[in-house]
Amino acid sequence: MDLRTSAAVGCLCIAGALAGVGLAPEAEVRAATPAPLEVRAGGDALDAGDAAEVARSLAERWGSEPIALVVGEERIEATRAELGGALDVETLAARIEAARDPRSLTARFHRQVAGDAPIDLPLPVRFDADVARGLLLERKDRLDVAPRDARGNP
């Protein structure tokens, strides 16, 4: 067989293979999708439903929880929101959606590390220092006393 004939046979083989691949029926290949994980945030199981609504509800509950600050002998009791704390609702909603989707990187990584254990999302806390500063400065003025017997060391 001369070079021209070999090249023609080779081209026909390649064309036939390509035609066979193009005409072959497409086989659906789908990986088994695992069941969704139980999603928690701040240690509590989250309700089913729209992630944005769940995040808003959690942010309201979180902000309304009371905390206490002890300053000297005085105990300041206020809610987290009154002290300038808040949850970033958009970030939390995105984390909830990612954790609920079994195909997401978050869920797949969690499954590799912890198996089917519930996924506990970190809370994206934001703090407004100006709100807390105002409350603490007001308390400082009431607690601060002028020195009575201050002496310098010779």
Side-chain angles (χ1 to χ4, degrees):
M1 222 189 307
D2 68 349
L3 183 60
R4 284 182 129 185
T5 309
S6 296
V9 169
C11 287
L12 287 175
C13 288
I14 291 174
L18 291 175
V21 169
L23 297 175
E26 283 188 37
E28 279 194 41
V29 178
R30 293 183 184 220
T33 303
L37 295 165
E38 178 186 352
V39 180
R40 301 172 157 272
D44 296 328
L46 298 180
D47 301 331
D50 180 49
E53 188 56 41
V54 170
R56 268 191 293 280
S57 173
L58 180 60
E60 288 172 12
R61 281 194 321 265
W62 185 89
S64 66
E65 287 190 28
I67 60 172
L69 295 176
V70 179
V71 180
E73 298 294 319
E74 187 175 3
R75 182 179 173 97
I76 302 169
E77 293 192 24
T79 65
R80 290 171 170 163
E82 290 170 344
L83 291 173
L87 294 183
D88 183 343
V89 176
E90 289 179 15
T91 300
L92 182 57
R95 288 179 181 174
I96 292 169
E97 285 179 2
R100 285 179 175 172
D101 181 2
R103 297 165 299 167
S104 73
L105 181 61
T106 301
R108 289 182 298 150
F109 179 75
H110 179 78
R111 234 180 250 290
Q112 284 182 349
V113 172
D116 289 334
I119 184 168
D120 197 1
L121 300 174
L123 295 177
V125 176
R126 302 289 178 249
F127 181 69
D128 184 357
D130 293 333
V131 173
R133 186 178 300 116
L135 179 69
L136 294 174
L137 286 175
E138 172 201 329
R139 306 292 177 152
K140 178 193 89 62
D141 291 339
R142 285 194 280 140
L143 292 173
D144 224 1
V145 292
R148 292 182 212 152
D149 61 352
R151 284 179 263 173
N153 289 336

